[in-house]
């Protein structure tokens, strides 16, 4: 649900640096959760990675990446 709200926020936004920072902060935050927690909430590291990839494309930046455990 939170990712859907983030998507709505970005869709209605202006594409500012602040929006990019907010979105990256979201993915960095959820990446801190354990695999068990993510599984319990039907989310995966791959979805986190894909979200960051989508941000790269949306904002036209390269080099965005976060460490995926394992």
């Amino acid at each position: 649900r939170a990712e859907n709200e983030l998507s709505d926020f970005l869709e209605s936004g202006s594409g500012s640096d602040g929006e990019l920072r907010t979105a990256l902060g979201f993915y960095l935050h959820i990446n801190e959760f354990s695999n068990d927690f993510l599984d319990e909430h039907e989310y995966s590291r791959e979805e986190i990675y894909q979200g960051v990839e989508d941000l790269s494309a949306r904002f036209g930046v390269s080099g965005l990446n976060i460490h995926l455990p394992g």
Side-chain angles (χ1 to χ4, degrees):
R1 190 173 110 196
E3 188 178 36
N4 291 340
E5 289 185 29
L6 175 64
S7 180
D8 291 345
F9 167 74
L10 293 173
E11 295 273 329
S12 65
S14 63
S16 71
D17 289 347
E19 291 167 5
L20 174 59
R21 283 192 299 273
T22 298
L24 277 175
F26 169 79
Y27 288 111
L28 290 171
H29 176 69
I30 61 174
N31 192 47
E32 294 176 356
F33 290 111
S34 70
N35 288 335
D36 289 340
F37 179 89
L38 293 174
D39 288 343
E40 288 170 17
H41 293 86
E42 299 178 6
Y43 210 75
S44 69
R45 300 262 172 230
E46 290 76 24
E47 288 173 291
I48 296 169
Y49 179 78
Q50 186 60 54
V52 173
E53 288 287 310
D54 293 346
L55 284 177
S56 294
R58 175 187 292 266
F59 286 89
V61 296
S62 61
L64 294 180
N65 101 38
I66 55 177
H67 174 70
L68 299 176

